[in-house]
Amino acid sequence: MKKKVFFLLLFICIYNVYSTEINVNRNGTEITLSFTMDEFSSSISFYFLNNFKVESNNAIVQKGSTIEINKINIPSINAAGGKAYTSYKLGNVTLEEGEKYVINENKEINFNIILKFLGIELTDQSIKLYEFHIDSTPPTVPAINLNGYNSGKWTNQDVIIDLSKSTDSESGFSHYDFIETNNETFIQNIPEYAWQKLENNQYQTNVEDNKVFEKYLYFRAVDNVGNKTEVLGPVIVRIDKIAPELSTGNYTTGWSKETVIITATDDNSKVKKLEINSQSYNLSKYTLNQTGTYTAKAIDNAGNESESKNVVLI
């Protein structure tokens, strides 16, 4: 009778010890579990090879995301004939240090502990560390505001483009990407690493004087696990900050009895018009053959103006 009472009391003590609450500390992909019993602790750490978003014990990931187990620490627990069998599992798969695991569906990563005393299973606990939720939906497409600029039109002013209004109800909207290309078909061959993050949701040029900028811009929205919208574009930005050139042939200065041909050239946005004595002509070449004093200048399609030239015919 005394022996039965002893083992019953020991059984109760072991059960109480092993059923002690386990505290979980999550720090991104590093997780530590601690028991009040004998200051026992266990830990797991892993790498996410894709983007993820953590909310409490929920981790939102993209389908096909991969985790690589960096380290697992499971010390042995033995006490008065009792033993704890512990493991970490992703779904039904026991995780091994140094291995990689692909998440293609919603799954939990758990810490499991089975407590046995004299071969008798006392308790089998499973503690959810993270619940992985698949986010396969891209964010909504952005609104693109060109702030008065017309795509493809030449200008001599810098261009500001704002992107906004993208949302994502699962992992949440993260940012916008952009890419600059030299032509419209080049986008088909752009590698993923060439995309750049758009800072402050705004694209802005900063073209120096006497320079030309001509690019095809493409944009996309990205959520917190890496899902992307379809590519939007192109927005064609053409900036010309070089004034056209104006020539008067053999005429240099002073009076002339010969006909003078005024010619404007512009290799970039091209000549839009000539102004002769404030009269506009949609020409790049104009002939002066009547007596008089003339002031001429050229204007290109970006709005740049040449220096004025004066001609006197007698």
Side-chain angles (χ1 to χ4, degrees), residues 248-266:
T248 53
N250 294 327
Y251 177 85
T252 55
T253 185
W255 294 354
S256 175
K257 293 182 179 181
E258 304 295 327
T259 296
V260 176
I261 299 176
I262 297 176
T263 304
T265 56
D266 189 294

Side-chain angles (χ1 to χ4, degrees), residues 15-164:
Y15 181 83
N16 287 336
V17 167
Y18 282 132
S19 61
T20 301
E21 182 179 356
I22 302 173
N23 297 310
V24 181
N25 179 34
R26 302 177 185 85
N27 183 17
T29 57
E30 295 184 8
I31 306 167
T32 301
L33 303 98
S34 59
F35 298 65
T36 56
M37 176 193 68
D38 296 331
E39 298 182 354
F40 167 77
S41 66
S42 178
S43 63
I44 182 173
S45 64
F46 53 89
Y47 300 113
F48 244 105
L49 304 185
N50 309 77
N51 293 330
F52 74 106
K53 181 181 180 182
V54 172
E55 297 174 343
S56 183
N57 62 351
N58 292 323
I60 305 174
V61 300
Q62 191 176 30
K63 186 174 182 179
S65 294
T66 303
I67 60 173
E68 180 177 356
I69 305 304
N70 177 34
K71 184 178 180 181
I72 294 178
N73 175 31
I74 304 178
S76 176
I77 312 172
N78 295 280
K83 186 172 180 62
Y85 300 89
T86 57
S87 63
Y88 291 93
K89 289 188 175 183
L90 179 64
N92 295 321
V93 177
T94 300
L95 300 177
E96 301 290 342
E97 194 170 297
E99 295 295 323
K100 296 179 182 179
Y101 302 89
V102 178
I103 302 173
N104 283 319
E105 58 185 356
N106 295 347
K107 284 186 176 180
E108 293 181 3
I109 183 170
N110 295 300
F111 174 74
N112 298 285
I113 181 167
I114 299 173
L115 308 172
K116 291 184 178 181
F117 172 67
L118 299 178
I120 302 172
E121 184 175 307
L122 300 180
T123 182
D124 183 352
Q125 292 178 264
S126 180
I127 299 172
K128 181 171 70 176
L129 305 180
Y130 279 122
E131 183 174 351
F132 297 124
H133 295 277
I134 300 295
D135 175 6
S136 300
T137 305
T140 59
V141 296
I144 301 178
N145 182 7
L146 303 185
N147 295 298
Y149 174 70
N150 292 321
S151 176
K153 185 178 179 180
W154 284 100
T155 180
N156 59 6
Q157 302 296 312
D158 281 305
V159 172
I160 297 175
I161 301 173
D162 291 306
L163 275 70
S164 62

